[in-house]
Amino acid sequence: MRLVVLGGPGAGRGTQCELLRRQFGMIWISTGDILRKAIAAKDSDGDCQTELGRQTHQYVEQGELVPDELMIQFMRQRLLQPDVAKGWLLDGYPRTAFQAEELDFLLDEVKQQLDQAIYLDVPDEVLMQRSMARGRMDDQPESVQRRIELFRECTQPMLEYYELRDRLLRIDGNQAIEQVQQEILKKLGVIV
């Protein structure tokens, strides 16, 4: 199974991905983790080791979306790894309709296909509360607010993209973790 999990910062993507990973034994690909690793990998001078890491750092620091071209490069590298051949969960990618389309092109190229896009729908004020409660270094109020705004701007066209392809599962993400998980499994047809 190949799934994309969508939702704003603090929507519960990580929590639900961990539960799905355990349920199905899938590889969980968190783009946030990929970006943080690329930025954290330093050379002997204390600079980012890779060009992708250097280019990415400035965007993440300001709460801006990493440009499509860079994200597509990261995803291409990751989806060509042998451990993901039998299935995966994508967390935090795609973030734009363009990236969703590019992901489909990449999947065609590597002879894979997306099964479903799961959208965790959570109100903005709840996203803000949850993000601030996580206590991550990059979760400052201004950058979280900016990430929520960017998410909303980019989300609608992407949701429409997946809806038109009959691959979108809308989930009420503003409920208990177990209820969200049950709703996902039910809509995936795992439990009836």
Side-chain angles (χ1 to χ4, degrees):
M1 196 179 307
R2 293 172 182 90
L3 304 170
V4 166
V5 181
L6 308 168
R13 290 188 325 264
T15 301
Q16 293 304 319
C17 283
E18 176 58 26
L19 293 170
L20 287 166
R21 184 194 65 75
R22 279 193 234 149
Q23 174 90 23
F24 298 112
M26 305 162 83
I27 298 295
W28 172 16
I29 303 170
S30 165
T31 52
D33 288 348
I34 290 172
L35 296 177
R36 282 188 281 277
K37 270 186 206 159
I39 292 167
K42 306 289 185 197
D43 61 20
S44 58
D45 295 329
D47 296 323
C48 288
Q49 281 183 345
T50 66
E51 184 58 29
L52 276 176
R54 279 189 286 281
Q55 291 176 27
T56 302
H57 184 256
Q58 61 188 350
Y59 296 103
V60 172
E61 198 172 56
Q62 296 167 6
E64 297 292 325
L65 288 179
V66 174
D68 290 339
E69 306 76 44
L70 293 178
M71 285 307 306
I72 291 162
Q73 286 180 56
F74 276 115
M75 293 318 301
R76 175 178 296 283
Q77 288 175 1
R78 185 61 185 100
L79 291 175
L80 290 173
Q81 300 297 315
D83 65 333
V84 298
K86 293 185 177 155
W88 40 256
L89 287 159
L90 269 185
D91 169 12
Y93 184 88
R95 292 204 173 183
T96 66
F98 179 75
Q99 287 179 3
E101 192 173 28
E102 286 297 312
L103 176 61
D104 280 347
F105 292 146
L106 173 59
L107 292 175
D108 282 346
E109 191 180 304
V110 296
K111 309 280 189 276
Q112 297 180 24
Q113 185 176 345
L114 178 69
D115 293 302
Q116 295 290 330
I118 299 167
Y119 173 51
L120 302 176
D121 194 5
V122 178
D124 289 0
E125 58 275 3
V126 176
L127 293 177
M128 184 61 132
Q129 290 167 354
R130 289 180 182 177
S131 292
M132 297 312 297
R134 293 188 301 201
R136 288 188 192 156
M137 286 178 50
D138 60 340
D139 282 342
Q140 299 306 311
E142 304 79 28
S143 61
V144 170
Q145 186 60 46
R146 181 68 182 137
R147 286 199 300 266
I148 292 170
E149 289 167 9
L150 285 169
F151 175 74
R152 291 293 176 213
E153 287 172 26
C154 299
T155 300
Q156 202 53 46
M158 186 174 45
L159 297 179
E160 289 169 8
Y161 177 85
Y162 284 125
E163 230 160 19
L164 287 169
R165 285 153 185 78
D166 200 27
R167 285 199 232 140
L168 184 69
L169 302 180
R170 286 182 186 267
I171 306 293
D172 177 3
N174 193 21
Q175 52 186 335
I177 292 169
E178 299 77 23
Q179 290 174 296
V180 173
Q181 181 69 5
Q182 290 301 308
E183 190 177 335
I184 291 170
L185 294 174
K186 188 176 180 184
K187 288 190 176 182
L188 285 173
V190 176
I191 57 173
V192 271

